[in-house]
Every structure is written in C-alpha cells, then in structure tokens.
Amino acid sequence: MSETNPAAAAAVPAEAAPHRYTAAMAAEIEARWQDFWDADGTYAAPNPEGDLAGDPELVAKPKKFIMDMFPYPSGAGLHVGHPLGYIATDVSARFQRMTGHNVLHTLGFDAFGLPAEQYAVQTGTHPRVSTEANIANMKDQLRRLGLGHDRRRSFATIDPDYYKWTQWIFLQIFNSWYDDEANKARPISELIAQFESGDRAVPGHTRAWNELTAAERADVLGEFRLAYASEAPVNWSPGLGTVLANEEVTADGRSERGNFPVFKAKLRQWNMRITAYADRLLDDLDALDWPEAIKLQQRNWIGRSEGARVDFPIDGEHITIFTTRQDTLFGATYMVLAPEHPLVDKFTPAAWPEGTHEVWTGGHATPAEAVAAYRAQAASKSDVERQAEAKDKTGVFTGEFATNPVNGEQIPVFIADYVLMGYGTGAIMAVPAHDSRDFAFARAFELPMRCVVEPSDDRGTDPSTWDDAFASYDAKIVNSSSEQLSLDGLGVVDAKARITEWLARKGIGEGTVNFRLRDWLFSRQRYWGEPFPIVYDEDGIAHALPESMLPLELPEVEDYSPRTFDPDDADTQPETPLSRNEDWVNVTLDLGDGPKKYRRETNTMPNWAGSCWYELRYLDPHNDRKLVDPEIEQYWMGPREGQPHGGVDLYVGGAEHAVLHLLYARFWSKVLYDLGHVSSAEPFHKLFNQGMIQAYVYRDSRGIAVPAAEVEERDGAYYYQGEKVTRLLGKMGKSLKNAVTPDEICAEYGADTLRLYEMAMGPLDVSRPWDTRAVVGQFRLLQRLWRNIVDEATGEVTVSDTEPDEETLRALHKAIDGVRQDLEGLRFNTAIAKVTELNNHLTKAGGAVPRSIAEPLVLLIAPLAPHVAEELWRRLGHTDSVVHQDFPVADPAYVVDETVTCVVQIKGKVKARLEVSPAISEEELEKVALADEKVVAALDGAGIRKVIVRAPKLVNIVPA
C-alpha cells in the first residue's frame, strides 16, 4: 500500500483527484449501501418467536426498543427540520447494535385525521389516495437519509389490518368498568354478574336487575363503562363542522386547526373514562425516565386536589360543591353555578325576589331572560378564556337563594363563566375575603364579605377596606362559630379536619379528592377516521360488533366533508359524512340472537386513537389472531430492573405532545394491562424531547413572507427584489417560504453530511437555527476522514501496518471513551466534536494512518455517518457490515493523561504551573508545590498560614 500524505493530497486539483469524496461520490456510495441494507435485511430485529423470529444468539442479547413519535405524512413532504429526531434515534439505535443489543427500530405512519380529509374536500381526491402517495414520498425521503429501520414492521394507521385492532381495543374498553376496590379495570360481564346475583345493588333502581328493561340496563351500565356515550357539553366548531377536545381549542376560544370560533353545545358523544385512572396516571409518573417539565405538565393537567364535598340546601334539594378550603365555610356569602348547570333551569323563578339589587339583574326584566342572555354570552367562550384572569367579572343572579349549612344564612346563587361545568361539580361556594376571583366578583356585584382567616399583615379584619383577598394556609381561623360548631382559633389543617368530620356526621358532605382531568371526548364528525364498531338497535341501545366482524371498514362516500356552517352560528348541529351513506348506516345483522335491523354509529374516532397503541403493533405487525403475542410483548416491553412498568426503552419526539398523546397512550396501556393483554403498564419508559430546527422568516412591508433563498444581505440589512424586508427567527415551513428540503442538502453534500450537521448543530433538546452555509463544515470533516484512509488520486487505501505513537494512541482512546459516553447520553454534538478532534490530529500528524487507528476511527463515526463508514470498512478489507461490529472500547491507561497541569496560587494570583501525575496525592502535591523555586521566591521567607490542595489541579497558599 502507498503511504501518501493525506494533507498533501488535499492540495491535489479536482481533475487530478478522481477518487475525492464529493457529492456525486456520496450519492453513489449512499444509494449502493441503502440497496445492500435492504437486500441483506441488515436492520431486521428478530422476535423470540412468530413469523419474525430469527437468530437465537441475537435474541439472547439484551434488547433495546427505540421509537420516534408517529409522523403524519404531509403532502408538502419533509423539510430539514422534520428528520432531526429520526436521525437522532437512528444514531442511538446504531450505537446500541454496536454495543451488543438486539435493537428494534422502525417507523410507521399516523395517517387518519383532518389534513388528508381537507385535501380531499378541496380536490375531490379520496383521502386514501392522497395519503398513500404522501407516505410513499416520505418513505423515499427517509430512506435517502440511511435510516436503519426494520421495514418489515412498518404500517400505517389507515391499513384495515391495523385499525381492526384499534377497533378491537375500543371494544375492550367499552366492555370494561373500573373496580375501585380492586383498583383496576374488569370485564363488564363481571359487573353484570354482580347485579344479577344481588351482590351489588343496582344504582338508581329499587327493582332487581332482571326486572329492568334492556334500555334501563344499558343506562346503568353506561354509568360504569370505560367507553360510554352521553349528552354532555362539548366544544362545537360550526366552521369545521365537528366537535373538539378541550386540548384542541386555543386560549382565544378558537379551533387549533382553521382558527374558527368554538362554542359550547350539548351533544351525545362517545367518551373515554380516563378519569378513573387519574391516581394511577399520577403515581406511575414517578418511575418513568421523563423530563421533569413533561411530568409537571401531566401532573398539572390531571390536577389532583384534596378537599370536601358540601351540600348547600335549596328548595328541598341541594347544590353540591367541591372545595379545597372547607375550613372557610363560614366565610361563604354567595354561590356561583356554571351557566350550563342543570339546576339553573330547575330553580330559576319567574320573577326577581323583592329587593333584588339592580346590579345583580344585568338589566333584564326577569331571571329567565337574564339567565338566557348570559348563557348565550358564555357559550361563545372557550374554557381557557373563561378561566383566564379577566379584569372585569361577569355574571347574573339566578333569582334563588341557597342555605349555608354551617350557619343557616340565606346566600344568593349566581351564574358566572369563571365556573366550569367540567370541573368539580360545576358549582362553588364563594368566599370573597379569601379568594381573589371571588373578591373581584363580590366587588363588581356589591356582595358582602366576611373575614374568616386572620390576616398576618396589618390590613385588619374588615374586607371592605382591603385591596385584594387574603389567602393563607398558615393562619388562624376566626369568625367561624355557630351553636353546632366552632373553628375559631384553629389552624387551617385542624380546622379542615374538624369541619370535614362534622359534615360527614351530619350527612351533608365528606372528605374527597377531585381532579382537573376530564373524561376524554372521543367522537369526531369526520369521514377520515376509524369507524366505531358499534351499532344501535331500534330502541337506541348500543351493541358491540363481534370480533368476527372486524375490521369495520370505511365505506365510500361522495362527499368527504362534514357539513360546515357559518363559523359564528352557534345554533347548529353536526351532520357527519358517514350518515350520507344509508346503505352502510342501516344494516341487518345477526349479533347472536337472530337477524335484526341496526343503525351504525356515524361519528369516527379521533386521530389520537391510532397513536395510542402503535408501539405494540411494531412488536408483532402481522398477527391477525391477537393484538400482540404475549411472549413477544414481554420480550420487548415487559417490566425489568429499572423499568418497573415496562415500556419502550427510548421514545423521541416533540414536547408539544406532553399532554394529549402521552396521556391518552398511557390510559390505553393501563386498560390493556388490567385486562391481561399486555405485561407493560406504561407505553414509554424513557422519553426525550428534541428541540426544533428553526429558520429565518423574511417578511415584506405587508407582513407577507418572501422566499428566504432569494433574500440578499447588504450592510447588515436584508432585501428581496430591491425592497427592504424584516428578518425574524421562527419555524421552518412551506407557508413561511423558508423551508429547505433534505433532498436539496443530500444532492449538494450527501446524506451523511446532512446527518452530521443536524446532530452537530447543538444539544439535541435545544432548538437551533438552520444555516445552509454551515453545512459545508461537516462535509469537510468527511472529506478529511476519506483522505486519511483513501488516496484521492488512485483510490487505494493508504493505511499502514506500523505501530502508532503514544500521542496518537492517547488521542484515539480519549476519543473512544468520550464518544461512547456521549452517544450513550444522546450528546451527539459533542461526540462529533471528539471524532473531529481525532481526525484532525491524524491529518496534522501526516504520513499514513496506522490501521489500528483507522479502523476504530471508522467504527466511531459509523452510527453518525453510516454510508461512508460502511464504504471505508469494506475498503479496509472487511467483508461483513459495519452495522454489527463491536463499538471500540477505550484502554483506561491511555485515557488518563500522563501528566496534568497544576496551578499554584498565592493570595489568589498564579505564581507557578507544575506538571504532575494525575494520581498524585494531596500530601505529595503540597510538598512539590512548596518546594518549587518560583513559589519559594514568591513567598520570600513569609510564613504560611494555610495551604488548600485540590489534587491534581490546584494548590492555593495563604501566607501568614
């Protein structure tokens, strides 16, 4: 082999260097190795059994299941921001393969949902046609990046073979109830057996179970089922023609998609009883390896609070409230109900009571008019808007009074939009002296206030003189006595305990726990979603389809769009696309008791449904008999040391899914776990949120985005077609005209360069700006790597069989040690920096690189730049793939420096630098420092009061 100097080779003109690493060479190498990997099945991860069983030796290795969050196949294709997480998981998966793991890494597509449906409405193209075309394009783009996916396991949620099992899981949830005593879900058949035997009383009925009609039984079971239909307040968007989950409504009370107004309406919808799992969803977070910020968001969303339920008598019945400050009951001077509260209609009188304060009426002649007008006003606001700290409090008196149970006072009952029907009981007792919102409301409506918590400042005990409420958990209770009860002088904790015991003894309340979490609205008035496997008989009773009738496939319809309305018309009702196909809707079926006429459910499931369980399908993607083979699920996701709830080993995606997707997927996992279908009670053990690749957005004087690629910079300003434009860092996207596609970068530099650049831009969890001009830096790294091994003029390998010098050995093993730790910790930017440092050392050293250095160098970069590593590995004479080689292991003797520099300070100023052994003791270091001639000279005979030693790098001398 020749021993051409790589540095000298760099100066060879391009025409004289036919074997230089160029974009064209990169393209050829990358395409060839991608074809090889596909043909060879390089990334096939064997299961322990089943159709994907494989090499027993590989199965016996420790496993790693690495996942990306489900991509949605957009018609616009990928820009360079999209693959950031996919490249990161690929690097991690490759590293884990090289460190002795059986790695499952694949990618499917979350393909139901609104974008494809809207495109179908606009173009008349069937959503499946456009979606499958988008998937094909995205697969091509991702393949070009060299992602090591096990393609046998890929699927899309729109595949009937997949959504058959989504429907099956829905039926498991529908046919289950939550047993609070067992603290788990159980089959609904077990609950029915308890009702039939009389072991459990039938709630709401004095008759026995077998004496109830079928409709009555269905209603009773509907109060228990984990999937149930109910009339409930929903977020109705006439402009979209569909209802939305709370999480899909913006803080401005508009739809997240389309920015349409959203109104409150009552509709019969499917819901998931996720609230039954609130405690477990909270408690199990502790054992998950998730970012604390994400855990906090989930905890806040679930919103557990301890307090008491209290009944306030009203007209022979009662209003039930939940409060966390039952110790302040004596301070309740009015009540507030949510405008939607059912008791509002029941108790609203025909006329205002005599002496009603004018400000309470809203200027209306009767309570009914006031309530109707205020309800219409509240319906136009989202829950977020209603809970915002608005400067002006609004509301209206219902015309009715309730009784404060602790002192017998008659207190007025209002409705106001800051109370939500979906939280607690939809009613509150208002203690204005000690709650800021109640305080503002009381001021606005001239309501009385009573101080019952002694202020710790000098404001006194007359709330009429205060500027704001006084809220404290560290104060004494005052003004809280009656003939039956006294809390005066007690601290908050003791007062809570005493009042809670008194309420329970009187039968008018009890200690309880409340959650902010609401049941999950699971219906959408759309076409492009999973059909519900539910039919209704002539009495309107819901029946589950048997498994033999699954999948229930989407029928063809002529019009894909739900009927939309004037976006501002709240008085409208949904009309679903599926309802237009009457032959599909109205069917005769035999569900086990003979042929009967049924009507199918015409709503579809939300796009979240398919992403609630997709990790399980990756494990056993072709199983048509079971959701997943138990042994396969146990192998990849079962509990193990450090992962008590099981789950995916690494899950990478954006922080925007902190609540919705993650919470829903956790809920489905827990139901399946309770019912014995899986061994993992959590879907994702380790979660990592990658940052975002940002790009500059350039806007003209109208505020319209202009093509970023055509903007010129002159003297620190930016111009488009001669007009000055503004520049602001933001998202990358087609609509912002600043998108850069991976195809462009791959064409100019190659996929390995793109991979390296995206990983080198900064820490993976931090957002970073894209700079096309900076990509060339990583391209040059690969060119230098290539020149260190291959002669650009001849194409010959230039490595030698000589022994490396000690400095080079130290550079190698320090790099191995650092890169290994960085890849393990997902610190890809610093791993690349260490590879670069080693490569630069070899370039500067000159001469032929020893084989014993070149080969580990190639292995170090293999997870990051797999194509060039595979090519160089083969050129170095190996016939097996680099993918399954062992990752280099550092020799500890070379990782530690022979000497380190110790700084010696006197009075805080550096007086000497000593080269010492890294293993030197503090006693020995002190002796060496004090004997150094520069130190002796600096002390100049002065005594020493103290010597502070931090071996091996610092000695600080304090003279006497």
Side-chain angles (χ1 to χ4, degrees):
M1 295 182 186
S2 66
E3 296 193 8
T4 306
N5 186 322
V12 176
E15 60 271 17
H19 298 278
R20 176 172 293 170
Y21 184 82
T22 62
M25 178 183 282
E28 186 275 325
I29 289 172
E30 289 164 3
R32 177 158 43 82
W33 283 111
Q34 287 160 18
D35 289 343
F36 171 84
W37 293 331
D38 284 350
D40 183 61
T42 302
Y43 304 109
N47 279 343
E49 64 176 32
D51 67 316
L52 299 184
D55 182 359
E57 288 188 14
L58 189 50
V59 171
K61 290 183 175 183
K63 63 88 191 179
K64 286 289 181 181
F65 184 6
I66 296 174
M67 267 181 66
D68 300 278
M69 287 190 183
F70 237 180
Y72 192 90
S74 163
L78 298 177
H79 60 63
V80 292
H82 291 125
L84 178 66
Y86 309 147
I87 295 170
T89 54
D90 187 62
V91 174
S92 181
R94 290 175 180 278
F95 173 69
Q96 295 296 341
R97 287 189 194 95
M98 295 177 76
T99 52
H101 295 85
N102 182 19
V103 179
L104 193 166
H105 186 219
T106 189
L107 194 73
F109 299 90
D110 188 12
F112 275 126
L114 197 55
E117 187 173 275
Q118 288 178 326
Y119 184 77
V121 171
Q122 293 165 8
T123 64
T125 308
H126 194 287
R128 179 173 290 280
V129 173
S130 59
T131 301
E132 289 179 345
N134 294 343
I135 290 173
N137 180 53
M138 190 169 175
K139 281 183 174 180
D140 287 344
Q141 288 187 293
L142 292 173
R143 184 180 186 272
R144 192 171 183 183
L145 297 175
L147 302 178
H149 293 147
D150 184 345
R151 302 187 195 284
R152 305 169 304 164
R153 299 175 183 265
S154 185
F155 56 81
T157 54
I158 59 175
D159 299 340
D161 287 347
Y162 179 81
Y163 71 72
K164 164 188 174 177
W165 294 105
T166 307
Q167 293 170 334
W168 181 88
I169 296 171
F170 172 84
L171 292 179
Q172 304 309 301
I173 299 172
F174 174 72
N175 285 319
S176 301
W177 63 292
Y178 199 83
D179 184 344
D180 290 321
E181 292 183 7
N183 199 27
K184 62 180 288 189
R186 294 171 60 186
I188 201 76
S189 57
E190 296 181 10
L191 179 64
I192 294 171
Q194 291 181 15
F195 287 145
E196 288 176 337
S197 67
D199 290 343
R200 180 185 288 265
V202 181
H205 292 275
T206 55
R207 290 172 291 151
W209 179 256
N210 59 9
E211 295 173 351
L212 301 182
T213 65
E216 288 173 327
R217 292 180 187 177
D219 287 343
V220 169
L221 294 178
E223 295 299 314
F224 288 86
R225 291 186 188 274
L226 290 178
Y228 64 95
S230 70
E231 287 269 340
V234 296
N235 300 307
W236 165 236
S237 174
L240 281 177
T242 188
V243 300
L244 302 170
N246 288 338
E247 301 85 356
E248 296 171 308
V249 182
T250 68
D252 299 323
R254 304 180 77 85
S255 62
E256 196 173 48
R257 284 197 177 274
N259 197 38
F260 291 109
V262 177
F263 304 93
K264 281 294 180 186
K266 270 203 167 183
L267 295 172
R268 189 165 181 81
Q269 301 288 304
W270 282 98
N271 298 272
M272 292 277 181
R273 207 179 300 274
I274 191 173
T275 49
Y277 283 84
D279 271 321
R280 285 170 60 186
L281 289 168
L282 270 177
D283 295 343
D284 289 355
L285 281 171
D286 293 339
L288 299 182
D289 185 5
W290 286 19
E292 282 305 317
I294 302 296
K295 289 185 179 183
L296 181 61
Q297 286 185 63
Q298 292 233 337
R299 290 186 180 110
N300 290 342
W301 192 262
I302 296 166
R304 188 182 194 276
S305 52
E306 294 186 18
R309 174 186 62 77
V310 186
D311 295 336
F312 283 68
I314 180 171
D315 285 356
E317 296 193 39
H318 59 262
I319 299 172
T320 300
I321 63 102
F322 169 81
T323 177
T324 60
R325 290 301 303 267
Q326 59 268 39
D327 55 302
T328 64
L329 257 170
F330 281 92
T333 57
Y334 64 98
M335 300 191 76
V336 184
L337 304 183
E340 308 86 358
H341 201 293
L343 290 181
V344 175
D345 291 325
K346 193 169 186 179
F347 293 127
T348 300
W352 294 115
E354 187 176 345
T356 296
H357 198 314
E358 185 177 344
V359 76
W360 295 4
T361 68
H364 295 281
T366 67
E369 291 175 22
V371 166
Y374 190 78
R375 278 178 159 173
Q377 175 186 327
S380 66
K381 295 182 180 180
S382 71
D383 287 356
V384 175
E385 281 184 294
R386 286 171 57 171
Q387 287 189 298
E389 292 292 335
K391 184 176 180 182
D392 299 319
K393 294 297 177 189
T394 63
V396 71
F397 180 42
T398 63
E400 191 55 85
F401 291 83
T403 303
N404 186 329
V406 294
N407 56 20
E409 288 183 0
Q410 294 296 290
I411 58 177
V413 180
F414 284 75
I415 59 171
D417 60 14
Y418 75 90
V419 177
L420 303 178
M421 194 62 220
Y423 179 71
T425 64
I428 67 163
M429 66 170 194
V431 184
H434 306 294
D435 180 274
S436 58
R437 288 193 307 175
D438 295 345
F439 185 95
F441 191 91
R443 278 281 165 87
F445 289 88
E446 301 177 19
L447 288 156
M449 304 186 203
R450 180 181 299 117
C451 174
V452 294
V453 180
E454 187 174 57
S456 55
D457 51 27
D458 59 0
R459 69 176 65 197
T461 57
D462 180 4
S464 66
T465 66
W466 297 355
D467 294 326
D468 197 2
F470 172 77
S472 174
Y473 281 87
D474 185 22
K476 284 194 305 183
I477 303 299
V478 296
N479 301 325
S480 297
S481 293
S482 66
E483 293 181 1
Q484 306 177 66
L485 172 72
S486 176
L487 305 178
D488 287 344
L490 295 177
V492 171
V493 173
D494 291 339
K496 280 187 174 184
R498 181 174 294 184
I499 188 67
T500 302
E501 184 275 329
W502 183 84
L503 290 168
R505 183 157 36 88
K506 290 288 186 178
I508 55 174
E510 62 180 349
T512 188
V513 174
N514 197 50
F515 294 91
R516 178 180 181 269
L517 181 67
R518 298 296 91 201
D519 280 346
W520 172 15
L521 177 66
F522 201 69
S523 293
R524 296 295 183 274
Q525 292 66 47
R526 296 175 185 153
Y527 169 72
W528 195 232
E530 297 91 339
F532 282 94
I534 294 288
V535 292
Y536 299 92
D537 63 23
E538 292 177 332
D539 295 323
I541 298 172
H543 297 265
L545 291 181
E547 187 177 333
S548 61
M549 292 186 181
L550 303 182
L552 173 60
E553 296 193 35
L554 271 174
E556 298 298 320
V557 295
E558 292 184 6
D559 183 0
Y560 308 115
S561 59
R563 184 183 175 192
T564 57
F565 303 88
D566 179 336
D568 297 306
D569 188 356
D571 298 323
T572 48
Q573 291 280 317
E575 179 186 295
T576 62
L578 290 182
S579 64
R580 301 179 193 131
N581 189 327
E582 293 193 8
D583 291 340
W584 183 82
V585 173
N586 300 300
V587 291
T588 299
L589 301 173
D590 185 350
L591 301 184
D593 52 357
K596 292 182 180 179
K597 291 183 178 179
Y598 295 95
R599 189 174 192 281
R600 295 194 192 278
E601 172 63 71
T602 60
N603 287 310
T604 53
M605 298 185 199
N607 61 303
W608 308 105
S611 60
C612 274
W613 72 281
Y614 69 121
E615 71 283 354
L616 297 174
R617 193 61 175 174
Y618 284 152
L619 308 181
D620 197 10
H622 311 131
N623 197 331
D624 59 359
R625 302 179 315 281
K626 289 181 179 179
L627 177 73
V628 60
D629 181 287
E631 185 176 337
I632 294 172
E633 188 273 336
Q634 172 71 46
Y635 174 81
W636 288 111
M637 289 186 63
R640 61 204 65 219
E641 186 177 353
Q643 300 182 18
H645 304 305
V648 172
D649 297 289
L650 176 63
Y651 192 40
V652 175
E656 65 272 17
H657 297 293
V659 173
L660 293 184
H661 158 60
L662 293 173
L663 203 59
Y664 296 158
R666 295 180 65 214
F667 166 57
W668 277 38
S669 284
K670 291 186 184 305
V671 177
L672 292 171
Y673 172 78
D674 287 354
L675 298 177
H677 299 300
V678 297
S679 66
S680 48
E682 286 284 343
F684 314 115
H685 172 70
K686 180 178 176 64
L687 173 69
F688 191 96
N689 296 126
Q690 90 267 14
M692 181 187 300
I693 289 183
Q694 299 170 305
Y696 287 109
V697 184
Y698 298 88
R699 297 185 185 276
D700 62 19
S701 57
R702 301 166 297 168
I704 295 175
V706 301
E710 299 175 31
V711 171
E712 297 178 356
E713 181 181 356
R714 297 199 301 268
D715 301 324
Y718 303 93
Y719 297 87
Y720 172 68
Q721 296 182 348
E723 180 191 349
K724 194 172 183 179
V725 294
T726 61
R727 183 180 85 155
L728 191 67
L729 193 61
K731 287 185 176 181
M732 181 180 286
K734 187 177 180 182
S735 64
L736 298 173
K737 300 182 181 178
N738 62 355
V740 178
T741 70
D743 309 60
E744 297 172 54
I745 304 302
C746 288
E748 190 168 356
Y749 297 107
D752 279 339
T753 295
L754 174 62
R755 290 170 61 104
L756 283 171
Y757 177 64
E758 295 215 359
M759 294 299 95
M761 290 171 76
L764 184 60
D765 57 348
V766 175
S767 293
R768 70 291 301 272
W770 176 267
D771 183 0
T772 299
R773 293 170 300 180
V775 177
V776 70
Q778 299 307 317
F779 184 57
R780 288 173 181 152
L781 165 62
L782 293 180
Q783 287 186 313
R784 285 193 295 271
L785 171 68
W786 185 265
R787 282 197 298 270
N788 277 329
I789 297 174
V790 177
D791 187 305
E792 291 182 331
T794 67
E796 293 182 30
V797 171
T798 60
V799 299
S800 71
D801 293 324
T802 59
E803 290 297 317
D805 59 50
E806 187 161 328
E807 184 182 359
T808 299
L809 279 172
R810 289 192 180 280
L812 171 67
H813 288 280
K814 281 186 175 182
I816 291 172
D817 182 59
V819 172
R820 178 182 279 267
Q821 291 184 48
D822 287 343
L823 293 182
E824 188 71 55
L826 308 183
R827 296 184 298 273
F828 304 128
N829 59 319
T830 53
I832 292 170
K834 292 178 175 69
V835 171
T836 303
E837 187 178 349
L838 173 60
N839 196 51
N840 288 346
H841 169 84
L842 299 176
T843 301
K844 290 174 184 176
V849 175
R851 175 178 289 275
S852 59
I853 303 295
E855 291 191 347
L857 171 62
V858 169
L859 295 175
L860 285 181
I861 206 168
L864 295 150
H867 307 91
V868 72
E870 194 79 87
E871 180 72 14
L872 290 173
W873 190 249
R874 187 59 59 96
R875 289 186 180 225
L876 283 165
H878 300 280
T879 57
D880 47 356
S881 170
V882 76
V883 171
H884 293 287
Q885 298 304 308
D886 290 337
F887 199 81
V889 177
D891 184 337
Y894 290 108
V895 172
V896 178
D897 287 329
E898 281 188 295
T899 63
V900 296
T901 301
C902 174
V903 173
V904 183
Q905 295 179 333
I906 299 175
K907 291 184 179 181
K909 293 183 178 180
V910 177
K911 297 299 180 180
R913 286 184 169 84
L914 312 175
E915 293 299 316
V916 299
S917 166
I920 192 170
S921 68
E922 291 190 352
E923 294 81 5
E924 183 63 25
L925 183 57
E926 181 176 343
K927 287 180 184 177
V928 171
L930 293 176
D932 183 81
E933 59 183 27
K934 292 181 180 178
V935 174
V936 171
L939 285 171
D940 194 23
I944 298 173
R945 182 157 59 90
K946 190 177 184 181
V947 179
I948 301 167
V949 182
R950 298 286 183 267
K953 292 190 175 182
L954 176 67
V955 176
N956 192 9
I957 301 170
V958 182

